[in-house]
């Protein structure tokens, strides 16, 4: 469980920081969307592994 929380913290921080750095351009929202999708997908996989009893 701790691994999932740490991974989520890092992914969301990367999404926010990278969007702040790219803010002047129009690709900031696209970058945030891609990183958020990756983060949510990782969270879903982590939850599924816990439900199946396969936590690493």
């Amino acid at each position: 469980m701790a691994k999932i929380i740490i991974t989520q913290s890092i992914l969301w921080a990367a999404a926010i920081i990278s969007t702040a750095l790219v803010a002047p351009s129009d690709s900031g929202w696209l970058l945030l969307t891609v990183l958020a999708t990756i983060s949510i997908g990782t969270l879903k996989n982590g939850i599924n592994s816990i439900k199946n009893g396969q936590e690493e």
Side-chain angles (χ1 to χ4, degrees), residues 43-55:
L43 180 61
K44 180 182 174 193
N45 289 339
I47 290 171
N48 286 338
S49 70
I50 290 173
K51 284 183 179 178
N52 294 333
Q54 300 172 352
E55 185 176 348

Side-chain angles (χ1 to χ4, degrees), residues 18-19 22-34:
S18 61
T19 303
V22 183
S25 70
D26 292 333
S27 64
W29 287 109
L30 177 63
L31 182 61
L32 181 61
T33 304
V34 169

